[in-house]
Amino acid sequence: MKHLIADAKWGMTRACLVGAKHLALPFKELPSASPERFPKVRTVRGAMVSMRDGVRLLTDVHLPADRTARPSGPHPAMLIRMPYGIREAYAYMPAVGRFWARRGYAAVVQDVRGRFGSEGEWRPLVHEVDDGYDTIDWVADQPWCDGRVAMTGESYYAFTQWAAAASGHPALACISPGDMGLDMHTLLFEGGALCLGSTAMWACDQAGRGFLNWHRLDTRQLPVRDMADAAGLPGGLYREFADRPQRTGPDDHFWNAHDFRHLLDRVEVPTMVWSGWYDNLLPGTLQCWTELEERRPDLAHLRRLVIGPTDHETSCDFDGRVGRIPIPAGPRSWDRVLAFTDEVLARTGGSTTVPVKLDGPRVRAYVTGADRWHTADAWPPRDTAELRLYLRGNRELTTDEPEFSEHAARFGYHPADPAAPWEGKDLWGMTKALRDRRDLHTRPDVLVYRSEPLTDDMVVVGPITATIHASTTADDADVTVALVDIAPDGSAQLVQEGIRRLTHRDPANAPTPVEPGRVYAAYVGLAATGHRFRAGHRIGAEISGSAFDRWDRNTRAGTTTIHHDAAAASHLDLRVAGGTS
């Protein structure tokens, strides 16, 4: 009886997914401004591709065809290896296959080992180097392939690209991994808090061959490590992660085993790393880019970084909006990958020889609210200036440093009633969930600091950090920081946010106890953004003790004090393009 309602919802969800799979998916198309080169697509379903150990993986192929539906060729291949069902409505791979086939690629999509139609045991992240190599070997040898293989995809199927590139197969021409890092700790935890509504839920769902009943999962379950068990779902992988919120040091064997950044040492093909400002995995994606830059500076000329206005599901590509901000029609995420892949393959001249250099800027960052791209040769952009905004005792944000003694601000926090702007919302489709945050500002446990109205437009491009000096009456507390754009009518839209758990203030080592009443400097990373604050708007900073259920709740009740005098100057650090007002 406990899960009766959840199971009924799951039945309806499954019925909707089956209906979408059979009725809508055959007609679904990706939003695109790129011209089609072939009018028809010929789909060859059900190839079982053998790996070196005899395990066979289900593979479908979508081929360019003429108006009589006869396949042409050979063509370069676009390979996507993913764990979410190559024929399921969720990841709409048949539509993706049609997109690539109509633009001159033999599109190959494959269920990874142990998932959906593929044989073998599902062990996330373990087999992808060898399986990637073996699959490329098979693809390159097919009569419809000209010997060149590219790869693309986001999330887990970005990981399969990094793994395949590290395998060193000579037929792999380029990769374009999106929305994914290689350090699992970075993907599962931010500031010591569990990414509950996103990657933690993903870990719960990765316990079988297909999807599990996620309606059973209750994010308010305490202790949080028991969420999968309380739902009656397999929870081994999830529990392993949830039990280890922080590295214990450089010799932490568990997290070292789930850190795959070493693969970057072996990535030598042209690479386009891409993500979006509202993607949950943006911090991990940017970490991956930075690591790649540091590990292989000799190949910088073969790399591109593109950060768009998207979330994990590229929602604004379909609905044209980021909250209240319109995203005008134009090249969408798949078009940008297509342009990169076309450029690389045009340079290779029919072989897999690595091009000498790619054209254009190395970094492109979309500016929401301005509908333009900021281009640069590095990340963070070197043509931006640092801007520090101080939290003041009168709840203002100013560039002026605080006086020696200014009033502190306080809020009470109780885990039974957290600030919960994300509860019940789809964190993978975050741009669809962006709402006016004015109601949140009326809560007594949310402090709001505002700048004066801007006299000129201000474009912020780059990383965002905050240093918040806080004390608590409890033995632990969370500090959340949200950067918001406040319009003249008082409406507020989220730009970016982050969290820091005070016991996890030293991210490289084991949790450190908190002494009640002592002031600590909480370093909060807010990933990055590209956003225009219009003249007349205010820059806002929300400070609270939770942003549930994007992150799990701190279980300690208490009163948190935010300090902003000269001795403990809480502040935000932004990067501004051009002048500031």
Side-chain angles (χ1 to χ4, degrees), residues 179-247:
D179 296 341
M180 185 66 177
L182 289 174
D183 176 8
M184 286 301 296
H185 185 270
T186 300
L187 303 182
L188 285 156
F189 294 92
E190 288 188 39
L194 179 66
C195 299
L196 183 57
S198 54
T199 45
M201 298 279 277
W202 173 87
C204 288
D205 194 40
Q206 302 308 299
R209 182 165 290 276
F211 299 123
L212 299 179
N213 182 0
W214 60 76
H215 291 299
R216 284 191 172 199
L217 296 169
D218 178 9
T219 55
R220 291 202 173 230
Q221 167 69 39
L222 292 176
V224 69
R225 71 178 301 275
D226 293 338
M227 183 172 68
D229 292 337
L233 300 175
L237 178 66
Y238 166 76
R239 276 197 310 274
E240 287 185 16
F241 290 146
D243 279 345
R244 297 172 171 86
Q246 188 152 342
R247 300 181 190 271

Side-chain angles (χ1 to χ4, degrees), residues 152-173:
T152 192
E154 64 172 337
S155 198
Y156 191 93
Y157 38 120
F159 179 85
T160 60
Q161 295 174 69
W162 291 119
S167 79
H169 199 292
L172 184 61

Side-chain angles (χ1 to χ4, degrees), residues 42 56 149 151 186 280 308 316-317 323 352 420 438 494 513 550:
R42 172 84 176 272
R56 300 181 305 162
V149 181
M151 293 185 73
T186 300
N280 295 290
C316 67
D317 282 356
T352 56
R438 275 182 290 192
L494 178 73
R550 182 171 187 174

Side-chain angles (χ1 to χ4, degrees), residues 513-552:
V514 165
E515 179 184 335
R518 182 176 176 181
V519 179
Y520 296 96
Y523 175 84
V524 184
L526 286 76
T529 194
H531 181 77
R532 178 176 68 170
F533 291 88
R534 290 180 176 272
H537 287 226
R538 299 173 188 261
I539 301 172
E542 301 167 1
I543 312 295
S544 185
S546 64
F548 188 73
D549 58 3
R550 182 171 187 174
W551 297 292
D552 70 323

Side-chain angles (χ1 to χ4, degrees), residues 155 158 162 177-182 186-187 273-276 279-292 305-307 312:
S155 198
W162 291 119
D179 296 341
M180 185 66 177
L182 289 174
T186 300
L187 303 182
V273 178
W274 59 273
S275 190
D279 177 55
N280 295 290
L281 306 188
L282 177 60
T285 306
L286 291 176
Q287 179 194 53
C288 212
W289 169 265
T290 300
E291 289 268 344
L292 193 60
L305 174 65
V306 180
I307 314 175
H312 202 73

Side-chain angles (χ1 to χ4, degrees), residues 99-132:
F99 171 88
W100 286 105
R102 288 184 181 130
R103 287 155 182 84
Y105 290 81
V108 183
V109 290
Q110 182 181 78
D111 285 332
V112 297
R113 179 183 295 246
R115 290 289 277 180
F116 290 88
S118 288
E119 299 173 348
E121 179 187 1
W122 169 232
R123 296 176 61 196
L125 313 174
V126 173
H127 297 285
E128 308 306 355
V129 174
D130 289 346
D131 287 356

